[in-house]
């Protein structure tokens, strides 16, 4: 299911939005090793079921060159993967991770700032803070509390587009 609502607070400048959605995410070995390349090769694979995601936010423009988007979301996820160090230190010295799954309630608060200088330069920065509430695990093992991204794009004579991303 997907439900979206948007209301213009100031025409073409500030918008309030809210909605609800759900999703079933396939957790393949390739997807999990992209998140953590040190997982064991004999892990159990389970799909993550995002039963519901409720979100709300405010987006708009400070000027013709600067935009923003501030939002909050609450997700309810069955079988979210977490990465736990294997106990056997004789063979791997803690360098291999097992995957454990848990029922998770995830609150995310974040925002984006964008700056566009003409058609040539686009800069965007985003940051998110994640609050995990788990059913069985003691902590959100090897899941970040804070994530961030900075993106820069430069259009060189409408022929070459240079893009750089920095992740935290």
């Amino acid at each position: 299911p997907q439900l979206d609502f948007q209301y213009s607070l100031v025409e073409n400048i500030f918008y309030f939005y809210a909605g609800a959605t759900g999703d079933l995410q396939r957790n393949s070995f390739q997807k999990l090793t992209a998140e953590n390349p040190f997982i064991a090769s004999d892990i159990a694979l389970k799909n993550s079921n995002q039963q519901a995601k409720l979100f709300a936010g405010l987006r708009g423009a400070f000027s013709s060159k600067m935009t923003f988007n501030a939002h909050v979301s609450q997700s309810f996820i069955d079988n979210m993967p977490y990465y736990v160090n294997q106990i056997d230190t004789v063979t791997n010295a803690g360098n291999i991770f097992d995957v454990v799954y848990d029922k998770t309630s995830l609150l995310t608060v974040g925002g984006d700032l964008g700056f566009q200088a003409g058609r040539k330069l686009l800069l965007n920065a985003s940051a998110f803070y994640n609050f995990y509430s788990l059913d069985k695990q003691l902590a959100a093992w090897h899941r970040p509390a804070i994530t961030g991204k900075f993106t820069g794009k430069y259009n060189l004579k409408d022929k070459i587009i240079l893009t750089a991303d920095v992740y935290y």
Side-chain angles (χ1 to χ4, degrees):
Q2 186 168 353
L3 175 67
D4 289 313
F5 170 78
Q6 180 174 293
Y7 181 74
S8 177
L9 299 172
V10 178
E11 191 171 334
N12 296 325
I13 297 176
F14 292 109
Y15 293 91
F16 170 78
Y17 64 92
T21 187
D23 191 17
L24 183 65
Q25 297 174 348
R26 183 173 179 260
N27 291 320
S28 66
F29 187 74
Q30 180 181 11
K31 178 182 180 263
L32 294 177
T33 55
E35 288 183 351
N36 185 342
F38 303 104
I39 62 174
S41 60
D42 59 346
I43 59 168
L45 295 174
K46 295 181 182 179
N47 292 332
S48 295
N49 183 7
Q50 185 181 58
Q51 294 177 340
K53 179 179 180 179
L54 309 171
F55 59 90
L58 184 66
R59 67 178 170 84
F62 293 121
S63 69
S64 62
K65 295 182 180 186
M66 182 160 271
T67 61
F68 73 93
N69 183 9
H71 48 92
V72 61
S73 69
Q74 177 73 51
S75 300
F76 303 96
I77 306 165
D78 282 341
N79 296 326
M80 185 162 177
Y82 298 96
Y83 306 102
V84 179
N85 292 82
Q86 283 188 352
I87 304 299
D88 185 8
T89 58
V90 174
T91 58
N92 61 43
N95 294 331
I96 302 294
F97 293 86
D98 280 327
V99 177
V100 295
Y101 298 92
D102 202 355
K103 188 175 188 174
T104 303
S105 176
L106 174 61
L107 175 67
T108 302
V109 178
D112 304 289
L113 281 175
F115 176 76
Q116 185 159 3
R119 293 180 44 227
K120 299 286 185 190
L121 180 65
L122 173 65
L123 302 173
N124 192 53
S126 60
F128 302 95
Y129 196 85
N130 300 309
F131 299 92
Y132 298 89
S133 177
L134 293 90
D135 189 37
K136 296 177 184 165
Q137 295 297 314
L138 298 176
W141 306 114
H142 299 281
R143 286 284 179 181
I146 299 172
T147 58
K149 180 180 175 183
F150 178 78
T151 300
K153 288 185 181 183
Y154 185 75
N155 185 339
L156 187 64
K157 300 189 186 237
D158 292 328
K159 295 184 190 254
I160 299 173
I161 298 174
L162 303 172
T163 303
D165 293 323
V166 177
Y167 295 91
Y168 173 77

